Amino acid sequence: MAKNLVSLLLDDCPSLTEVPSSLQYLDKLERIGLFGCNNLRSFPMLDSKVLSSLSIGRCLDMTTCPTISQNMVSLLLEQTSIKEVPQSVIGKLQYLNLYGCSKITRFPEISGDIKVLELMGTAIKEVPSSIQFLTRLRILNMSGCSKLEILPEITVPMESLEYLYLSETGIKEIPSSLIKRMISLKTLKLDGTPIKELPLSIKDMVCLEDLYLSGTSIKALPELPPSLSCLKTHDCASLETAISIINITNFYRPMDFTNCFKLDQKPLIAVMHLIIQVSLLTPSFFLLSL
């Protein structure tokens, strides 16, 4: 194997069952890609100072996390059967993807360098309050974590977090402290959750642009931040009032109220007239199949 090899990509090799230990002698190897190697069972111990990216995906026979250097920046273990990510491999991680790792039941103890944390479809039940100390975290995706029901109270500002995805989780309520501390949040996805109401403090989320509530049991929309430009509320069968959107005139994507059968249409008509007056949008941007 070439000593000067920098990148090794073996994606979609179903006949590959193990990776040779000789990789440890490639002292210039920075990236390894093994996505779609369905029969891969093991990975050698690598104490490399230069390896920064490892991608192993759709390998259900992989049951233990590879032992790798603490210099790893990007680690993808999507759709594997690992049960945990050892603290020894997360030293400098900025990107961690555990999508579809259904054996993962605990939130990983991650370092403060993390920027993107993809935990969709895992069996995680709770998020620790220590998440507030991940000062560089920009994206947290826990969509499809059906066993997740509770979010922690937050006491310090999470200034870096911009995208929080909680679609199809068991979340029933959002702590008001969490809303207040996520001062930079741009997108909040709660669609498909059993949530029934939003904290009144959501109006203070001055950076919030996208709010997804489709398929929830929410009954009324509280006052929403004027920064909001996208609101998804289709299939909210319990939604009765949406007066709060009257003060929001910067929507540039469709507001979808399809199948909101209990919704009072009068406030929506008022919003339509307001938008026409300020020449921002047209009535066609409303989907009101009530």
Side-chain angles (χ1 to χ4, degrees), residues 14 18 74 133 155 207 209 232 260 263:
E18 62 179 324
S74 175
F133 302 117
T155 59
C207 294
E209 298 175 357
K232 296 294 185 181
C260 297
L263 184 61

Side-chain angles (χ1 to χ4, degrees), residues 143 164-167 187-191 193 210-213:
S143 296
L164 178 59
Y165 303 139
L166 298 169
S167 306
T187 299
L188 177 59
K189 291 191 174 184
L190 296 167
D191 44 308
T193 65
D210 304 320
L211 179 60
Y212 293 75
L213 297 169

Side-chain angles (χ1 to χ4, degrees), residues 29-278:
L29 187 61
E30 299 176 1
R31 179 188 177 198
I32 300 176
L34 299 167
F35 194 88
C37 297
N38 303 334
N39 294 306
L40 184 65
R41 296 182 177 85
S42 62
F43 191 89
M45 182 176 67
L46 292 181
D47 187 19
S48 171
K49 295 182 179 180
V50 297
L51 185 66
S52 61
S53 176
L54 175 61
S55 173
I56 300 177
R58 295 208 306 264
C59 305
L60 293 178
D61 289 334
M62 176 73 71
T63 58
T64 57
C65 182
T67 303
I68 51 180
S69 137
Q70 288 199 13
N71 294 312
M72 189 70 59
V73 173
S74 175
L75 179 59
L76 185 151
L77 297 170
E78 184 175 314
Q79 293 181 321
T80 60
S81 296
I82 67 168
K83 296 182 178 180
E84 62 178 351
V85 180
Q87 197 166 6
S88 59
V89 305
I90 61 175
K92 296 182 179 179
L93 274 185
Q94 296 181 20
Y95 173 80
L96 176 61
N97 188 333
L98 298 175
Y99 166 64
C101 295
S102 58
K103 305 293 185 182
I104 296 282
T105 59
R106 296 179 59 186
F107 197 92
E109 295 183 18
I110 206 71
S111 77
D113 288 330
I114 197 73
K115 294 180 179 180
V116 179
L117 195 49
E118 306 272 13
L119 303 172
M120 312 87 75
T122 61
I124 291 173
K125 298 179 181 179
E126 62 179 336
V127 178
S129 59
S130 58
I131 193 173
Q132 63 191 305
F133 302 117
L134 300 179
T135 57
R136 302 180 68 186
L137 184 62
R138 182 169 175 262
I139 300 174
L140 176 59
N141 191 342
M142 301 195 69
S143 296
C145 296
S146 58
K147 296 184 178 181
L148 178 65
E149 297 182 356
I150 301 175
L151 293 175
E153 296 286 344
I154 300 297
T155 59
V156 299
M158 297 187 69
E159 298 179 351
S160 296
L161 191 65
E162 296 181 358
Y163 303 94
L164 178 59
Y165 303 139
L166 298 169
S167 306
E168 305 295 335
T169 62
I171 295 296
K172 298 178 181 178
E173 65 176 324
I174 304 293
S176 58
S177 66
L178 185 146
I179 290 293
K180 291 179 180 179
R181 304 299 182 185
M182 293 186 174
I183 57 178
S184 302
L185 202 67
K186 294 181 179 179
T187 299
L188 177 59
K189 291 191 174 184
L190 296 167
D191 44 308
T193 65
I195 192 168
K196 294 183 178 180
E197 62 180 4
L198 295 174
L200 297 178
S201 56
I202 195 171
K203 69 180 187 299
D204 299 322
M205 300 184 75
V206 296
C207 294
L208 190 64
E209 298 175 357
D210 304 320
L211 179 60
Y212 293 75
L213 297 169
S214 300
T216 63
S217 298
I218 192 166
K219 293 184 178 181
L221 292 176
E223 182 180 349
L224 299 174
S227 57
L228 202 67
S229 58
C230 177
L231 176 65
K232 296 294 185 181
T233 52
H234 63 81
D235 297 314
C236 291
S238 300
L239 184 62
E240 298 177 358
T241 59
I243 299 176
S244 56
I245 65 173
I246 291 179
N247 296 321
I248 301 174
T249 58
N250 62 334
F251 282 107
Y252 63 87
R253 278 177 280 181
M255 284 191 290
D256 188 352
F257 291 100
T258 305
N259 296 330
C260 297
F261 301 108
K262 294 183 179 181
L263 184 61
D264 183 1
Q265 298 185 49
K266 292 180 181 179
L268 302 179
I269 295 173
V271 175
M272 291 170 65
H273 286 303
L274 181 60
I275 290 176
I276 293 172
Q277 290 172 7
V278 296

